[in-house]
């Protein structure tokens, strides 16, 4: 959520596109007021092709999740003193991530895509354990939004090669 109270949704693989919730529309948002990664993050990860932004520690600011050139995932926690990096334990290398609390335990679970499957990875207190395959066909990029306005997140899997979208309605 941005400082003005609007909901922000970010998706990234090679580039980031951030959208804001304008009621019934999702519109591209101009540069947001939260901090961008600083040079120390860029030096630590080198060239990266996949990243995601989410509030991992529930403090109201965007933390960065990036894939290193070797595919390992890292989180950079946005703190008052700057960004603090740590490797994410248990996630397989590569792909892209959508980060969302799917099991309602106040930590971010991951849906890993941009490979031939979209797989759920549950955050089990600081490390990730595989929770199952959501879809097993295509070059799938996961995204979560509350499309039906029932206060839970619904899933979308975009097949980047065919353009097909699979909608996963969260019913509770």
């Amino acid at each position: 959520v941005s400082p003005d109270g609007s909901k922000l949704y970010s998706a990234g693989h090679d580039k980031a596109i951030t959208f804001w919730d304008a009621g019934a529309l999702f519109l591209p948002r101009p540069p947001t007021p939260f901090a961008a990664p600083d040079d120390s993050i860029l030096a630590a990860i080198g060239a990266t092709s996949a990243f995601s932004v989410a509030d991992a520690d529930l403090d109201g600011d965007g933390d960065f999740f990036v894939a290193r050139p070797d595919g390992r995932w890292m989180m950079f926690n946005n703190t008052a003193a700057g960004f603090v990096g740590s490797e994410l334990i248990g996630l397989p290398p590569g792909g892209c991530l959508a980060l969302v609390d799917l099991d309602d335990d106040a930590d971010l679970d991951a849906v890993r895509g941009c490979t031939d499957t979209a797989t759920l990875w549950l955050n089990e207190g600081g490390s990730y354990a595989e929770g199952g395959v959501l879809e097993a066909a295509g070059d799938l990029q996961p995204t979560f939004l509350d499309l039906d306005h029932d206060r839970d997140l619904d899933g979308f899997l975009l097949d980047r090669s065919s353009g097909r979208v699979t909608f996963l309605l969260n019913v509770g």
Side-chain angles (χ1 to χ4, degrees):
V1 176
S2 73
D4 67 3
S6 63
K7 295 177 186 174
L8 301 176
Y9 305 98
S10 293
H13 189 79
D14 300 326
K15 295 181 182 177
I17 301 173
T18 301
F19 297 91
W20 62 282
D21 185 349
L25 300 174
F26 292 98
L27 303 172
R29 184 176 178 89
T32 59
F34 60 79
D38 58 31
D39 290 339
S40 65
I41 293 176
L42 300 177
I45 62 172
T48 184
S49 64
F51 69 94
S52 191
V53 178
D55 185 7
D57 53 4
L58 304 175
D59 64 355
D61 58 27
D63 304 308
F64 288 84
F65 296 79
V66 295
R68 296 169 45 103
D70 62 7
R72 291 181 298 156
W73 282 96
M74 294 189 70
M75 180 188 82
F76 289 89
N77 188 4
N78 187 355
T79 70
F83 290 92
V84 178
S86 61
E87 188 168 343
L88 296 177
I89 307 300
L91 285 174
C96 62
L97 295 180
L99 296 149
V100 62
D101 183 11
L102 292 173
D103 55 4
D104 201 26
D105 63 355
D107 59 21
L108 292 177
D109 305 306
V111 176
R112 181 176 169 269
C114 302
T115 61
D116 57 355
T117 63
T119 308
L120 171 62
W121 291 85
L122 296 172
N123 187 337
E124 302 292 344
S127 64
Y128 287 84
E130 187 173 353
V133 173
L134 299 177
E135 179 82 19
D139 181 12
L140 304 168
Q141 180 162 355
T143 301
F144 288 84
L145 304 168
D146 182 8
L147 194 63
D148 55 359
H149 300 286
D150 63 353
R151 297 181 187 241
D152 60 23
L153 296 174
D154 306 302
F156 296 86
L157 301 173
L158 169 64
D159 185 332
R160 299 180 319 151
S161 58
S162 72
R164 178 179 60 94
V165 175
T166 300
F167 175 62
L168 305 169
L169 181 64
N170 185 342
V171 294

